[in-house]
Amino acid sequence: MSIEIKLVPKQPARSELLVTLVHSDRFSSEDLEMDTQTLKASGFEAESGQIIFLPTVGPQSKGSPSALLGLGESTKEDNGTYRKSGTVLAKAAKGFKQISVELQSVISDDDVLMDRTQAFTEGLLMGAYEYVELKSNTKPRKLSTVSIIGSGRRMTTGMERAKSTSRGVNLARDLVNRPGGDLTPSAFARVASKTAKEHGLSIKILGLPEIKKAKMGGLLGVNRGSTQQPRFVQISYRPSKPSKKHLALVGKGITFDAGGLSIKTSQGMATMKCDMAGAAAVLGTMSALADLSLPVRVTGYIPLTDNMLGGDATRPGDVLKIRNGKTVEVLNTDAEGRLVLADALSLASETKPDAIIDLATLTGACMVALGNEYAGLMSTNTDLVDQLRQASQETGEDIWQLPLPDSYRSQLESEVADIKNIGSGPYGGAITAGLFLKEFVAEDIPWAHLDIAGPAFADAPWGIHPKGGTGFGVRLLLRFIEDLK
Ligand code: BES
Ligand code: ZN
Ligand code: ZN
């Protein structure tokens, strides 16, 4: 159950905990009715993310239990400051049932009121997230209601937006966190179906016969080693007013990546339930489009299979034929994501959308290049890059562009087929993967590829995320789409 967040015009008469947000350069011990010594001794300096619970007895108690939550220096704040505060608060106030937070009074600039309210609410809702569905003994979270003190259209809108985006993020996190043996391709497709129904989206789910008919040789090739049938989900959102723009989103949906016959090590395989994080981000994004009433037509393409090692698995050296007719020599069955994406990108290109963006936990090489926190961005279109960068700055989901040099294309030349699925040397693996994908996107369609292998899954709690699925990409895409109009 998610926590309920309400906007209230003034401090509720009764609140289990009243939280005040404070900037480090704007508060003094007097404001807090606390003597300087006591405050110093507490170590609280109102740094971003710092929280202190004040005594409930004595003159400083203000009658009810209260806490101060630091925002750091007022001149340095951005949306991220508020997102982080929300997350810190959701965790620190876990033991209270109902709390209220003074928010409007600390935001002096009306122009940012909506964004800050959105960020703070997102922080609360993402911070309260826990993946508990498979635990038998968990204490239910006490925190059920947060009243944010403030009023006006800007705050209401920011809060409502946050509810939609966070729901999408938490849906993506749930999907990533579900074990690979549980979230099979058909199970993922069922979640997609339910999501479509709940949010008024149209959906088409292709099973094995339809996938064969659609000539998706990449998806079929990867699926050959599995006892689980593949699925291909196509999910669409049409705004109520006819839109001029059509965006295609493609997400890698490998529900578990064992590597196929080019098997991974046990350590390399341990977190490979996360290999459908691109698909999860696409579904999470689709789920929020209608709630946000975004005015752009969006179609999501999600190829789903696991990458296993059954007796009839694709062998290194086998050649697959992708939907667009190109043949691929598979020299490493662990480079499977690009094979299923090739079919999806080909299909997406056929409808001639205005842009295609794919998200994929595609390469370990991207993590070597950029570490855990940045997604790699590769693109054929500078406007798209600029727009994604802008959105990334607003949502705090970091991306960094890598090049797609024509000169590296020769690394993908095959002796027996049109292209091979791995580069020839040990270097630049994220880029050769990007160059491979580029072959399956129609040349005149602006395209961007986000390699989210690093940020999609947190091996340890990171920033606003708990360990596990992060839902990376959902807020980024939603912001990108919102800014498109
Ligand atoms: N799913 C992996 C990439 C990955 C690695 C995602 C770590 C998240 C964390 C992908 O399918 C893969 O195995 N890629 C290979 C490609 C190689 C064989 C060319 C890799 O990165 O090693
Ligand atoms: Zn792989
Ligand atoms: Zn993979």
Side-chain angles (χ1 to χ4, degrees), residues 7 113-114 151-159:
L7 189 65
L113 189 54
M114 184 163 81
S151 61
R153 188 190 51 81
R154 287 188 171 98
M155 288 191 87
T156 318
T157 311
M159 188 178 285

Side-chain angles (χ1 to χ4, degrees), residues 252 254 256-257 264 272 275 307 334-337 361-363:
K252 171 177 172 181
I254 300 295
F256 185 76
D257 183 9
K264 287 186 181 295
M272 278 304 122
D275 214 17
N307 186 24
D334 197 14
E336 83 299 336
T361 45
L362 203 62
T363 67

Side-chain angles (χ1 to χ4, degrees), residues 136 164 237 251 276 293 317 326 349 354 406 458 481:
S136 19
S164 309
Y237 163 73
M276 32 53 71
S293 327
K326 286 196 186 176
S349 294
D354 296 296
D406 288 337
I481 296 167

Side-chain angles (χ1 to χ4, degrees), residues 6 42 84 241 250 265 269-270 296 322 364 368 421 442 452 467:
K6 310 192 276 206
S42 74
K84 183 169 155 193
K241 276 195 219 131
V250 175
T265 60
M269 212 185 283
V296 180
I322 305 300
V368 173
N421 80 329
I452 59 169
K467 201 173 157 167

